[in-house]
Amino acid sequence: DIQMTQSPSSLSASVGDRVTITCRASQGILNYLNWYQQKPGKAPKLLIFGASSLPSGVPRRFTGSGSGTDFTLTISSLQPEDFATYYCQQSYGSPQTFGPGTKVDVK
Amino acid sequence: QVQLVQSGAEVKKPGASVKVSCKTSGYTFTSYGISWVRQAPGQGLEWMGWISGYNDDTHYPQRLQGRVTVTTNISTGTAYMELRSLRSDDTAVYYCARDRAIRLGEFAIYDNWGQGTPVTVS
């Protein structure tokens, strides 16, 4: 199985901060990488697909980059509604696997 | 708008089976797949299986093969996930998600999710 790791596992930030989360795959996955946001008690929500594409309705302050094994999710200016847990997911290999998550909370 | 509405919470004994439904609306069912993902309490996300709304192809992770079955009813736009021989570590919230992968091997993208179904095994 392709293992996904994320760093940091958690971070504390303030509204307006620039936040960067990294995701690393145990082998190359091209750009078969998605990012999801999950708030407590809610289902995950698609944030980024194909490493860098933004679904309609997702604010432009979210950007994704990377290819191969190393990927990043950046929030350019953290908003109150962005405090959540973020997961990366690969679907290059089977089984599809998720990273362990990065929790973003209030500083 | 796209909606996926799941069946309600379940409590099961070890060794029993559970079947969760996922009723879709707002899109053409046969143009997408459905994936199932679960989340144990306080834990991360685990993919459990996929079915094509187009041709009923299925794909499961090896670790669950033989215990999980995903089916659909195209006439009602409903997907089902059955998990058998339940154990305490199957206690989790189970989600269905609309998957842009319609054929085996395509890039899976979960763009809409159900609200989740808590399953407790005790």
Side-chain angles (χ1 to χ4, degrees):
Chain A
D1 296 4
I2 297 175
Q3 306 301 318
M4 306 300 291
T5 57
Q6 288 182 234
S7 60
S9 56
S10 65
L11 66 91
S12 298
S14 302
V15 172
D17 283 354
R18 181 182 180 88
V19 169
T20 298
I21 298 168
T22 64
C23 174
R24 177 165 289 173
S26 60
Q27 65 185 75
I29 59 169
L30 301 179
N31 68 336
Y32 285 45
L33 191 283
N34 305 319
W35 290 95
Y36 299 88
Q37 176 194 66
Q38 187 179 34
K39 297 180 181 178
K42 300 294 186 184
K45 171 190 171 184
L46 179 66
L47 269 188
I48 299 283
F49 66 94
S52 59
S53 297
L54 209 65
S56 62
V58 173
R60 291 188 178 277
R61 62 180 179 273
F62 292 97
T63 57
S65 65
S67 179
T69 58
D70 295 312
F71 302 86
T72 60
L73 171 69
T74 299
I75 310 170
S76 60
S77 177
L78 196 68
Q79 297 302 298
E81 60 269 29
D82 301 337
F83 292 102
T85 300
Y86 295 84
Y87 294 94
C88 60
Q89 174 228 357
Q90 68 80 23
S91 69
Y92 178 82
S94 182
Q96 301 159 26
T97 47
F98 292 85
T102 294
K103 185 176 181 180
V104 178
D105 62 20
V106 179
K107 192 173 192 177
Chain B
Q1 75 280 23
V2 175
Q3 283 193 303
L4 293 85
V5 179
Q6 298 182 223
S7 49
E10 302 265 12
V11 180
K12 296 290 183 181
K13 297 285 188 191
S17 299
V18 68
K19 191 169 186 177
V20 180
S21 67
C22 173
K23 175 81 167 76
T24 72
S25 60
Y27 72 96
T28 302
F29 188 79
T30 53
S31 296
Y32 292 84
I34 294 284
S35 272
W36 290 84
V37 175
R38 70 179 177 181
Q39 186 169 37
Q43 302 300 308
L45 301 166
E46 179 188 10
W47 173 68
M48 296 187 66
W50 164 88
I51 186 164
S52 169
Y54 173 69
N55 60 12
D56 259 3
D57 276 351
T58 55
H59 188 48
Y60 306 105
Q62 196 161 5
R63 68 183 295 270
L64 289 176
Q65 201 105 29
R67 279 216 301 145
V68 65
T69 303
V70 178
T71 56
T72 62
N73 181 330
I74 291 177
S75 64
T76 63
T78 304
Y80 301 89
M81 185 283 300
E82 182 179 29
L83 186 62
R84 299 175 291 279
S85 302
L86 289 168
R87 310 185 293 243
S88 58
D89 62 357
D90 292 317
T91 294
V93 176
Y94 288 74
Y95 295 101
C96 61
R98 190 180 78 164
D99 192 333
R100 294 189 190 178
I102 195 174
R103 293 177 179 83
L104 203 57
E106 287 183 345
F107 184 20
I109 301 169
Y110 310 144
D111 63 5
N112 285 270
W113 294 64
Q115 82 277 18
T117 296
V119 174
T120 302
V121 183
S122 176

